[in-house]
Amino acid sequence: MKKKYIVKSLLAALAVVLILTGCASNGGSKKNDTEGSSKGSGVVNVFTARHYDIDFAMFDEFEKKTGITVNEIKGTAEELVERMKREGESSEADLFITVDGGVLNYAKESGVLQPIESETINGNVPAELREKENHWVALASRARVIVYAKDRVTPDQLSTYEALTDEKWKGKVLARSSSNLYNQSLVASLIELNGEEQTLEWSKGIVANFSRDPEGGDRDQAKAIVAGIGDVAIMNTYYVGQMLHSKDAEEVKVAENVGIFFPNQETTGTHLNISGIGLAAHAKNKDNALKLIEYMTSKEGQEMLTNGSFEFPTNPTAELPELLKGWGEFKKQSIDYAQLGVHNKKATELLNKAAWK
């Protein structure tokens, strides 16, 4: 059955509802199709803030295996959560997918998720990558690391996030803006580990060592390194993997000229964040929703995901792509991902105080 791609728009909520109604009529039924799902049919409505091609490919594969149609409703995480809150029991959402542990915690605290009850999922995803009451589970993780110019920096010159404030990095550090959630969550993790005062001083030290005002995304930081604008950048690992496998020859060239360093291996470990999935509080296609989570967290699903996105799989049985194997094992921060949300407001305040633009 062909997938129905549904374009999300909060400004046209009624139109979206009508579209969903049309999808349901084409797919068979809008009611909770538990009888149909047992026969490998029906639908599952996924509210997603992830917009990666590999996700779409996974949904296609799931449809082929089960006959269950995946309807995607896209938007920002905040928009989707607010819509689910507003619509309450009438919400079409069966699943919610987003990036960042703090955002997943926000969804739970907003009352739009319910516990995921599946021994299969519990077996696929380790406890530390599941919310303590099972309101969400991680689909993938990503490390926020130090990326460096291979021709100007050697790994033995690097050590910790904190060391990037040293005088030797004056005018050599690159990063995205303070409005970027990845940076906010990194700072939130440092607040959890080191406290507010120390984290504020770190933020000021990073700002003092910037080679330019923050601009662009993670890929732009790598490009700036190769252009000689800076020597080191704070980036997520998967961007380097995606650039190395890009159809754009210039992106490949950039990625080939930067190295990845996992900081804080002798101290608190490298900052890790997640992409995750939660079961909607009023899911009308609950059985189908659980089947999709089970597939996405299975060995097969996880290998498909990591080979497409170069994020780290959360199922420990999944085989890593050769690139990720080459990066080797590394020590990870040991914190509750929910704390990224708890400390987000304070992290934003500290970044503003530090004049991190």
Side-chain angles (χ1 to χ4, degrees):
M1 187 177 292
K2 186 177 180 181
K3 184 187 283 97
K4 291 83 178 170
Y5 292 99
I6 302 172
V7 178
K8 160 71 181 61
S9 172
L10 285 177
L11 296 178
L14 178 58
V16 172
V17 171
L18 291 173
I19 291 171
L20 282 170
T21 303
C23 289
S25 63
N26 290 335
S29 175
K30 266 184 71 88
K31 66 186 177 63
N32 190 352
D33 194 7
T34 53
E35 181 180 354
S37 68
S38 67
K39 299 176 182 177
S41 63
V43 300
V44 57
N45 298 319
V46 180
F47 278 37
T48 179
R50 273 176 60 104
H51 309 294
Y52 302 153
D53 289 344
I54 188 58
D55 291 16
F56 308 151
M58 291 180 73
F59 297 154
D60 279 332
E61 190 63 25
F62 175 75
E63 288 187 353
K64 292 174 186 175
K65 289 180 176 295
T66 65
I68 299 169
T69 299
V70 180
N71 293 325
E72 298 169 271
I73 299 86
K74 306 177 206 175
T76 68
E78 292 77 10
E79 288 171 341
L80 294 172
V81 169
E82 288 308 308
R83 178 178 170 184
M84 292 165 74
K85 287 168 62 177
R86 183 179 69 250
E87 294 179 346
E89 292 184 7
S90 66
S91 175
E92 297 289 341
D94 295 314
L95 293 170
F96 173 67
I97 298 177
T98 191
V99 299
D100 189 79
V103 176
L104 288 161
N105 183 63
Y106 167 69
K108 177 199 172 183
E109 294 299 318
S110 296
V112 300
L113 303 179
Q114 63 174 297
I116 298 168
E117 298 177 355
S118 166
E119 290 304 315
T120 298
I121 296 168
N122 291 347
N124 289 342
V125 183
E128 63 269 21
L129 292 171
R130 289 184 271 119
E131 195 268 330
K132 60 185 178 182
E133 295 177 337
N134 270 8
H135 281 78
W136 53 258
V137 300
L139 292 174
S141 63
R142 60 272 298 274
R144 197 142 185 83
V145 299
I146 300 172
V147 174
Y148 62 91
K150 286 182 177 178
D151 62 343
R152 302 188 299 277
V153 178
T154 57
D156 61 358
Q157 294 175 275
L158 301 167
S159 58
T160 65
Y161 297 111
E162 292 83 354
L164 290 180
T165 64
D166 291 350
E167 181 69 22
K168 71 178 182 180
W169 299 114
K170 188 79 171 179
K172 297 180 179 180
V173 177
L174 293 153
R176 293 172 74 154
S177 73
S178 62
S179 64
N180 174 248
L181 183 60
Y182 302 152
N183 284 340
Q184 291 174 3
S185 288
L186 170 60
V187 172
S189 75
L190 296 178
I191 291 173
E192 175 72 8
L193 294 168
N194 302 328
E196 294 178 18
E197 183 176 345
Q198 188 174 330
T199 303
L200 175 59
E201 292 308 307
W202 176 81
S203 301
K204 289 179 178 178
I206 294 293
V207 170
N209 283 350
F210 277 154
S211 62
R212 67 175 182 188
D213 286 343
E215 62 178 68
D218 276 20
R219 288 181 176 87
D220 295 304
Q221 311 316 313
K223 292 174 183 177
I225 289 175
V226 174
I229 296 171
D231 286 354
V232 294
I234 299 171
M235 287 178 55
N236 283 350
T237 48
Y238 70 92
Y239 283 106
V240 177
Q242 291 176 2
M243 292 176 76
L244 283 169
H245 291 79
S246 174
K247 295 179 181 178
D248 184 335
E250 285 303 310
E251 281 203 345
V252 174
K253 185 177 179 181
V254 166
E256 289 175 342
N257 283 281
V258 297
I260 285 178
F261 183 85
F262 293 92
N264 295 65
Q265 293 304 284
E266 301 300 323
T267 57
T268 54
T270 296
H271 172 64
L272 215 65
N273 207 335
I274 57 174
S275 291
I277 188 167
L279 180 63
H282 303 291
K284 297 176 177 61
N285 301 290
K286 185 174 179 180
D287 287 357
N288 291 348
L290 290 174
K291 288 178 187 294
L292 181 54
I293 302 175
E294 288 171 356
Y295 172 72
M296 295 184 77
T297 59
S298 70
K299 182 178 186 294
E300 176 186 346
Q302 288 280 286
E303 288 177 354
M304 188 175 183
L305 179 60
T306 190
N307 277 284
S309 70
F310 298 99
E311 297 168 284
F312 294 99
T314 54
N315 187 324
T317 68
E319 186 81 9
L320 293 176
E322 289 303 315
L323 176 64
L324 273 61
K325 286 181 182 177
W327 290 342
E329 296 288 331
F330 63 95
K331 180 181 178 181
K332 308 169 181 65
Q333 280 182 351
S334 180
I335 63 172
D336 182 348
Y337 290 104
Q339 295 304 307
L340 303 181
V342 171
H343 295 306
N344 179 266
K345 182 177 180 181
K346 181 56 65 175
T348 303
E349 290 176 3
L350 295 189
L351 287 165
N352 289 336
K353 285 183 181 179
W356 187 319
K357 295 181 180 179

